[in-house]
Amino acid sequence: MDGFGWDIILQSLPKLLEGLWVTAQLVLVSGLFGLLLALPLGIARSSPRPWVRALPFGYIFFFRGTPLLVQLFLIYYGLAQFEAIRQGPLWYLLREPYVCALLTFSLHTAAYIAEILRGALQAVPPGEVEAARAIGMGRWLTLRRVLLPRAAQIGLPAYGNEVILMVKGSALASTITLLDLTGMARTLIAGNYRAVEMFLAAGVLYLIFNWVLQRLFRLAERAMNRHLREPPRLVQQPVPRVPSGLDPPL
Amino acid sequence: MTGRDANGGAPMLSARDIRKRFGEVEVLKGVSVDAHPGDVITILGASGSGKSTFLRCLNFLETPTGGSVMLHGEPIVTRPDGEGNHQPRDRRQLRRLRARVGFVFQQFNLWPHMTVLGNVAEGPRQVLKTSRAEAEARALALLEKVGLAERANFYPAHLSGGQQQRAAIARTLAMDPELILFDEPTSALDPELVGEVLEVIRGLAREGRTMLIVTHEMGFAREVATRTMFLHEGLVEEDGDPEALFTQPESERLRQFLRRHLS
């Protein structure tokens, strides 16, 4: 075993890419489920009523305050302790490490996304909400048309950051037998004893994946912030007139 | 006070004894106003006199701690919330009434994620359930009326303050309000931009729109009003014909106020 094993890396690349694909699935699916779960949590967190805030507070307190690894073990090893779950209709799903990892990551990232959402909702200038109320919009309509779109713009960079943190956190999936990128690298090392090459290759693949994600989020930010970019041209075509009598001219 | 007789004397807006307390401070100590169709009521007062709070209480952007508001002869039903505020009891009623009362803010409060056209068409589309085509055609006509048709596709961030306020007025007009409340519509503007906004409001007055206007623009307040109110420390100090009020103020406080602001 002398010299750096470029050829080993090349040989292992298909397997490592397989692992990367598992990592990507874990991150993207949990990022999406986490976001869906975070919506009600974050909205409830920003409520002015203390009793509405309490439930998401407890949830966020637990999932932000304990290590992801502990949460993963609690779900992977813990759920099987319960007879009711083993006999339950979802056991065929919950016994799969893949499903356990997805579930844990979704619950975990939801807590962080909910906090991001709460901050973003509270950062929307109150005047914009008042303007919605003043034309007769109710809570739901205001949320849908003003608060959430504005919070999405404000919170998107922080959400992108959270997704990248989850890419790295997802390496923990390898501890419950999953062959994600890290798990695959460790499995390969068990056969070829090339720890440096394998982990280096895995690290580079993580870098590339995160770089792509960053670019995608940058594009999304640009699309969302088009209202701050250069102004459009003045409208040149003649203005269509409404039927007369609808609105008297000034 | 045009239109009063045509309407059989029923006020469009009737606020009785409005009170508002923030903690220990009572900002409004019982202010009443009646607005009849065609009335343009300008509300003057030093900062802290409660005039903006009063206006905000009229459509419950601020929940009053006392008094009652009647819009179009319909009282807004309220219930006390334990902290002394009179919370609106029927949210649906409040939404329905708010849709008929325009509110123009000092800080414009356009929605920055929508184009100017989107801002103006938003209320008709989402609240009045007008079709998109109809709402946008009408929005464009209103933008033309306030002189902004060529900037329909701009986002608010690319407009001057005066343009933003004119767009905000168009947004209010799009709801076809029977009454418009203006909360210091030019106070956030650079001096050279004040005129264009006042010109739009003057045009609305000429159309016979019913409006309550809180303003610091004295000449405008005198010229456009059918009636003027002067608030001082949460109470109506003087109330009446604008000419009389400006030329022969009865109270010493109004005299001082005018001396300071007319120089």
Side-chain angles (χ1 to χ4, degrees):
Chain A
M1 287 224 292
D2 1 292
F4 191 78
W6 291 106
D7 49 334
I8 303 279
I9 291 182
L10 217 58
Q11 279 168 22
S12 313
L13 204 55
K15 281 281 167 197
L16 288 172
L17 286 174
E18 239 173 73
L20 180 62
W21 172 231
V22 174
T23 293
Q25 289 171 29
L26 288 173
V27 170
L28 298 181
V29 174
S30 68
L32 191 69
F33 282 156
L35 185 60
L36 291 178
L37 183 57
L39 277 173
L41 286 171
I43 291 166
R45 265 302 270 150
S46 65
S47 165
R49 291 168 221 272
W51 53 271
V52 176
R53 284 200 304 263
L55 184 75
F57 174 81
Y59 179 91
I60 292 164
F61 184 69
F62 173 77
F63 278 100
R64 285 205 313 174
T66 55
L68 179 56
L69 186 61
V70 170
Q71 294 162 15
L72 192 63
F73 284 173
L74 273 177
I75 287 183
Y76 182 61
Y77 298 114
L79 288 184
Q81 304 283 315
F82 298 96
E83 187 65 27
I85 288 176
R86 267 185 286 133
Q87 302 300 328
L90 291 177
W91 177 239
Y92 78 98
L93 282 176
L94 291 175
R95 70 183 176 197
E96 293 294 333
Y98 183 77
V99 175
C100 285
L102 271 186
L103 182 65
T104 313
F105 292 173
S106 300
L107 295 174
H108 177 87
T109 195
Y112 282 89
I113 300 171
E115 274 301 281
I116 292 169
L117 183 60
R118 176 190 64 86
L121 285 170
Q122 289 175 346
V124 177
E128 293 172 26
V129 176
E130 284 191 345
R133 294 235 190 285
I135 62 164
M137 284 194 187
R139 280 162 204 262
W140 169 242
L141 202 52
T142 306
L143 193 67
R144 190 166 64 80
R145 298 295 303 172
V146 178
L147 272 169
L148 283 179
R150 292 283 286 129
Q153 292 170 344
I154 295 168
L156 187 65
Y159 175 62
N161 192 43
E162 168 59 17
V163 170
I164 286 181
L165 286 173
M166 278 311 293
V167 172
K168 295 180 287 178
S170 71
L172 292 175
S174 63
T175 62
I176 56 167
T177 74
L178 272 180
L179 292 180
D180 72 319
L181 183 47
T182 302
M184 189 62 88
R186 286 172 60 183
T187 305
L188 289 168
I189 292 162
N192 62 20
Y193 302 105
R194 293 287 192 154
V196 175
E197 284 88 345
M198 291 301 101
F199 280 135
L200 198 70
V204 169
L205 288 178
Y206 274 116
L207 264 182
I208 294 172
F209 184 55
N210 276 336
W211 180 80
V212 170
L213 280 178
Q214 276 174 39
R215 300 300 306 173
L216 288 176
F217 271 102
R218 187 69 55 82
L219 285 177
E221 270 173 54
R222 270 184 68 83
M224 276 200 173
N225 291 329
R226 62 186 182 280
H227 65 287
L228 297 178
R229 291 210 304 275
E230 72 278 9
R233 288 168 184 281
L234 297 182
V235 178
Q236 295 297 344
Q237 70 268 35
V239 175
R241 301 304 306 239
V242 283
S244 58
L246 243 179
D247 204 62
L250 208 103
Chain B
M1 289 169 226
T2 47
R4 174 172 291 190
D5 297 331
N7 204 36
M12 183 166 271
L13 162 82
S14 176
R16 284 282 151 269
D17 200 29
I18 299 295
R19 291 164 182 275
K20 176 64 185 177
R21 193 175 43 241
F22 293 104
E24 294 295 294
V25 190
E26 191 163 40
V27 180
L28 291 174
K29 298 167 184 160
V31 178
S32 303
V33 70
D34 278 344
H36 295 83
D39 279 358
V40 178
I41 302 175
T42 51
I43 303 174
L44 311 178
S47 60
S49 60
K51 52 199 191 310
S52 281
T53 307
F54 176 62
L55 207 66
R56 291 167 57 82
C57 281
L58 295 180
N59 73 346
F60 282 74
L61 284 178
E62 211 75 75
T63 45
T65 42
S68 61
V69 180
M70 230 200 274
L71 284 166
H72 316 285
E74 185 180 339
I76 297 182
V77 287
T78 58
R79 61 176 160 76
D81 69 352
E83 285 157 35
N85 292 317
H86 286 214
Q87 296 288 355
R89 198 167 60 195
D90 181 351
R91 306 218 149 259
R92 200 167 297 162
Q93 179 203 34
L94 184 64
R95 291 206 297 272
R96 182 165 48 78
L97 290 175
R98 274 176 172 168
R100 294 161 68 183
V101 177
F103 199 100
V104 175
F105 298 86
Q106 184 178 351
Q107 300 292 343
F108 334 128
N109 292 343
L110 292 173
W111 299 300
H113 58 300
M114 300 179 197
T115 62
V116 169
L117 187 74
N119 266 278
V120 179
E122 181 70 7
R125 283 187 62 193
Q126 301 294 334
V127 179
L128 305 178
K129 308 287 179 203
T130 312
S131 77
R132 179 183 181 142
E134 194 185 330
E136 289 190 347
R138 194 160 133 59
L140 212 48
L142 285 167
L143 285 173
E144 197 184 17
K145 176 170 165 160
V146 299
L148 283 176
E150 57 176 19
R151 286 182 163 71
N153 295 329
F154 279 45
Y155 286 94
H158 295 121
L159 299 185
S160 73
Q163 290 169 333
Q164 287 192 47
Q165 190 60 297
R166 285 186 279 144
I169 293 172
R171 175 174 68 177
T172 298
L173 293 176
M175 296 296 287
D176 248 332
E178 292 146 69
L179 167 73
I180 309 177
L181 311 173
F182 290 85
D183 184 12
E184 303 198 32
T186 60
S187 295
L189 297 177
D190 290 335
E192 74 267 25
L193 301 177
V194 168
E196 61 189 67
V197 171
L198 294 185
E199 195 43 53
V200 169
I201 302 175
R202 272 193 202 98
L204 298 176
R206 280 196 294 273
E207 288 177 6
R209 300 247 182 199
T210 315
M211 304 189 278
L212 261 65
I213 309 172
V214 169
T215 183
H216 285 291
E217 298 291 328
M218 292 301 139
F220 169 75
R222 175 177 178 174
E223 156 215 331
V224 82
T226 58
R227 206 173 112 209
T228 296
M229 289 167 69
F230 173 66
L231 293 193
H232 179 77
E233 289 180 358
L235 286 168
V236 178
E237 178 89 8
E238 208 164 326
D239 178 7
D241 176 64
E243 280 313 307
L245 209 112
F246 274 93
T247 49
Q248 292 134 17
E250 283 170 17
S251 90
E252 180 52 34
R253 291 194 181 106
L254 178 54
R255 266 196 291 276
Q256 280 176 6
F257 178 82
L258 291 176
R259 219 175 296 134
R260 235 175 303 128
H261 286 85
L262 288 177
S263 55

